[in-house]
Structures are given as C-alpha cells and as structure tokens.
Amino acid sequence: MPSDESAPSYALEVTPESALQFTLTRTPASAAENSSTDAGVTRCTMTLRHPGKTGQHLAFKVKTTQPRRYLVRPNQGIVAPNSTETVSILLVEKDKQILLQSYDRLGQSALDHSKDKFLVQSCAAPDEFASLYDKEKRGDEQKSDGYKT
C-alpha cells in the first residue's frame, strides 16, 4: 500500500488493501475430520504494517461481520514501529461446505458477491502498556510450549 501522508499516525497499513481471497477446495471426509492436520484448511493472510509515522506502538483489533464463519488469529495485538504482524484468517469447515454446496447449485455467482467484511481498528498504545502486553504474550507462549509433547 502506498504511503498516504493524510493517514493518521496511528493507522496501520493493511495488505491486501481491499479484498481477501480464499481458495475453496474439496477435502475428503477423512481429512476434514482429522483436525490435527492443515490438509484442506481454507485460509488467507493479512499483513498489518506499522509505517513508523509515530514512535509509539500501535494496538490493533480485527473484527468481522461473520465471527462464526472465520477464525482470526491473532485477532488483536501490538505492532512495534516499522514492523509487521501477519494475521491468519481461517474459513470454518462447516461454512466452507455450505459455500461449496451453493457453488454446486448456483455456480461462481454464488461466491462472487460475498458481503462478508473485515475491519481493522488501530490506535496508539502507551509504551508501558505495549511492554506489559509483550511480556504477558511471551509468558503465554512459554506456558504453551511447556505442555507440548
């Protein structure tokens, strides 16, 4: 996204800029039931970039008009100046199957006019808050690593 001088200093640059593209593929029933693999998972990514117009960290929250259809991870966080955060958006398997059935009945037009939307909100985060958030996030990662087998 080109640098927009009129954008507020707390605005993150979002890529892709206007539309997320999901590729729907049919998965065998056995692969769909095996949740431990990523086989057949329909996902796309969004990149949030801190343009560095301010030295403050930027907090973000990603919202969607269909929260039960999509899993957004992370759906909130902190981005340091001149760095990026990659957000993964997964289409829930049940809704993927519904979309494929619509495609079978109506063709491509069933998918072309999706009204699902995503909103990225951002604001400046005080350094103290960003530090605490980062420390807590690292603590959670260490806890989850301790339980892996």
Side-chain angles (χ1 to χ4, degrees):
M1 178 170 154
S3 181
D4 182 2
E5 296 301 320
S6 64
S9 61
Y10 56 83
L12 291 166
E13 294 177 357
V14 180
T15 306
E17 194 172 323
S18 61
L20 296 171
Q21 296 289 323
F22 291 88
T23 302
L24 295 177
T25 55
R26 297 186 192 279
T27 49
S30 60
E33 291 169 5
N34 186 357
S35 61
S36 64
T37 70
D38 276 351
V41 171
T42 302
R43 86 173 64 213
C44 70
T45 59
M46 175 188 332
T47 303
L48 307 178
R49 188 175 85 77
H50 186 315
K53 292 181 183 179
T54 177
Q56 287 185 291
H57 288 72
L58 299 180
F60 72 88
K61 172 80 174 164
V62 181
K63 296 181 176 183
T64 178
T65 55
Q66 294 285 344
R68 290 189 176 107
R69 179 175 283 182
Y70 302 99
L71 297 176
V72 180
R73 298 289 180 259
N75 64 354
Q76 62 187 8
I78 302 277
V79 184
N82 297 305
S83 66
T84 62
E85 177 78 39
T86 300
V87 176
S88 179
I89 302 165
L90 285 70
L91 178 61
V92 173
E93 183 65 29
K94 181 181 120 188
D95 286 289
K96 174 184 162 182
Q97 295 306 322
I98 291 169
L99 289 171
L100 285 169
Q101 290 169 0
S102 296
Y103 176 79
D104 290 342
R105 282 193 328 271
L106 305 170
Q108 185 62 38
S109 63
L111 305 177
D112 287 343
H113 302 295
S114 171
K115 302 291 184 206
D116 299 351
K117 293 184 175 33
F118 293 87
L119 170 69
V120 178
Q121 297 175 309
S122 64
C123 67
D127 290 339
E128 184 178 323
F129 177 81
S131 176
L132 287 170
Y133 183 89
D134 187 48
K135 196 180 294 183
E136 185 176 306
K137 183 178 173 187
R138 278 187 275 125
D140 288 346
E141 287 171 0
Q142 289 173 352
K143 285 179 191 172
S144 67
D145 287 346
Y147 294 113
K148 289 185 181 175
T149 54

